[in-house]
Amino acid sequence: MKITKMIFITLSCLFLSGACAQDNTKTKAEKQGWHLSMQSYTFHLFTVTESLDKTEELGIHFIEIYPGQKMGEGFGDAVFGYDLSMKDQERLKVLAAYEGVKIISSGVWTSARDEWDKVFAFAKNMEMEFISAEPAREDWDVVEELAKKYNIKVAVHNHPNEASYWKPEILLEYIGQRDKLLGSSADVGHFKRMGIEPVPALRELQRRLIALHFKDIAPQGEKQSLEDVVWGQGVLNVKGMLKELKRQNFKGYFTIEYEADWENNLPRIKESIDYFNQVAEEIL
């Protein structure tokens, strides 16, 4: 009995010391519950399998995969989505786990009403936390019912057009009195493109933020269109946004969607991650 007890105590101490050591390697952002995630559209010139490789190379452990992306090596002509066979879904989960990456979401889904059940069932089988979506405004009863049925959150995106949920007031009009499984996947760059300042927009979405499509943007080219740049080098107030999210005690995903330098954007993304952690170390 004494030997068994000693073995148990020894193993417990080893486990606890390992857990403590692991916790000590976490950044302040991670300890705050701020998780960097990758939107695979950043790598839309590449396949899902290549996107997982790149995500792992960046040291990021979470990914949101967009519907329709080619799966890549070992999956034939298959594309990511609810038509993916059960066998391929299981293979994808194993492959992601091997890379140390968790598929926490997919999107942005803009599905027809009769597709939503397939989308939610797919997300459930893939063990996702939420889907990023822009449901039709008349489909909210269906989407809310399915979110509760499958216990999957719906993070609503805001593409920069007036047919979308482009400003917080519109989104809150449709989900404000609905289940808390419904929230926002706020694209801070798209806010700016629609003439909305991101910090007040995030403040307005307090308690409804599930995730963000996080970025910085600046005028580029002859047309001076607002395009992605390294975080901290653009016109968005990155530090101000992070301070606002700290004030809210936000816990969730900062999904990196870097829509520039498509053929090789890893160096810019690495700089952005460094800036994010630098600011987090300063303000948290």
Side-chain angles (χ1 to χ4, degrees), residues 65 67 80-82 106-111 116 119 122 131-135:
I65 303 177
F80 183 84
Y82 57 70
S106 71
V108 176
W109 291 95
T110 55
S111 304
W116 283 115
V119 173
F122 173 59
I131 59 170
S132 179
E134 283 185 357

Side-chain angles (χ1 to χ4, degrees), residues 41 51 55 80-81 83 104 108 122 126 139 144 159 190 195 272 275:
Y41 192 75
S51 296
T55 301
F80 183 84
D83 285 331
I104 45 92
V108 176
F122 173 59
M126 290 297 298
D139 285 353
E144 181 181 30
H159 276 115
H190 289 342
S272 297
Y275 181 76

Side-chain angles (χ1 to χ4, degrees), residues 6-277:
M6 287 301 297
I7 291 173
F8 174 79
I9 292 172
T10 301
L11 291 173
S12 298
C13 290
L14 287 171
F15 173 79
L16 290 172
S17 63
C20 290
Q22 186 178 32
D23 188 67
N24 287 335
T25 65
K26 288 185 176 180
T27 64
K28 277 192 177 181
E30 290 169 330
K31 291 177 182 178
Q32 179 74 12
W34 292 1
H35 304 296
L36 288 172
S37 177
M38 180 57 62
Q39 166 51 253
S40 72
Y41 192 75
T42 300
F43 308 128
H44 76 277
L45 297 183
F46 305 90
T47 64
V48 170
T49 57
E50 290 170 320
S51 296
L52 290 172
D53 287 340
K54 291 175 181 292
T55 301
E56 188 274 336
E57 183 178 342
L58 288 165
I60 294 175
H61 302 294
F62 305 99
I63 193 169
E64 175 177 282
I65 303 177
Y66 75 90
Q69 185 172 16
K70 292 180 180 179
M71 289 298 301
E73 185 178 356
F75 290 88
D77 295 328
V79 298
F80 183 84
Y82 57 70
D83 285 331
L84 201 61
S85 71
M86 295 300 289
K87 179 180 178 181
D88 281 346
Q89 289 182 40
E90 294 305 313
R91 288 178 62 219
L92 176 57
K93 285 190 283 187
V94 170
L95 178 61
Y98 177 79
E99 297 278 12
V101 178
K102 168 71 174 165
I103 303 169
I104 45 92
S105 58
S106 71
V108 176
W109 291 95
T110 55
S111 304
R113 184 176 299 182
D114 61 0
E115 291 182 283
W116 283 115
D117 190 74
K118 296 177 184 177
V119 173
F120 277 94
F122 173 59
K124 189 69 174 181
N125 188 63
M126 290 297 298
E127 302 174 22
M128 298 179 195
E129 293 184 29
F130 64 95
I131 59 170
S132 179
E134 283 185 357
R137 297 179 184 184
E138 61 270 19
D139 285 353
W140 276 111
D141 287 345
V142 172
V143 171
E144 181 181 30
E145 180 182 348
L146 290 169
K148 291 190 285 188
K149 174 184 174 181
Y150 288 99
N151 194 31
I152 297 286
K153 296 177 184 178
V154 180
V156 183
H157 196 57
N158 53 295
H159 276 115
N161 63 72
E162 295 193 357
S164 76
Y165 302 90
W166 63 278
K167 60 181 178 179
E169 294 89 340
I170 295 175
L171 177 59
L172 294 173
E173 175 186 348
Y174 283 91
I175 71 168
Q177 302 304 312
R178 293 184 182 271
D179 196 279
K180 291 296 192 287
L181 286 169
L182 312 179
S184 171
S185 174
D187 189 310
V188 295
H190 289 342
F191 280 144
K192 188 69 173 180
R193 292 183 177 104
M194 294 297 286
I196 298 171
E197 287 301 320
V199 173
L202 295 176
R203 187 176 305 125
E204 195 167 353
L205 290 167
Q206 183 172 351
R207 291 184 293 276
R208 284 291 189 172
L209 285 170
I210 294 172
L212 303 102
H213 278 199
F214 207 73
K215 58 192 64 176
D216 202 353
I217 57 177
Q220 301 286 300
E222 291 183 8
K223 295 183 179 180
Q224 290 292 280
S225 56
L226 293 170
E227 305 295 343
D228 284 64
V229 295
V230 173
W231 298 1
Q233 296 182 11
V235 298
L236 300 186
N237 182 2
V238 172
K239 183 180 289 189
M241 290 189 288
L242 295 181
K243 285 182 176 180
E244 169 58 24
L245 292 166
K246 175 191 175 185
R247 184 196 67 78
Q248 293 184 25
N249 196 31
F250 169 76
K251 298 184 187 303
Y253 297 95
F254 292 77
T255 303
I256 300 169
E257 187 177 36
Y258 197 92
E259 299 179 283
D261 306 307
W262 296 110
E263 293 184 355
N264 182 24
N265 46 27
L266 290 190
R268 301 285 188 270
I269 296 171
K270 287 177 181 177
E271 288 184 66
S272 297
I273 293 171
D274 288 344
Y275 181 76
F276 174 83
N277 285 322

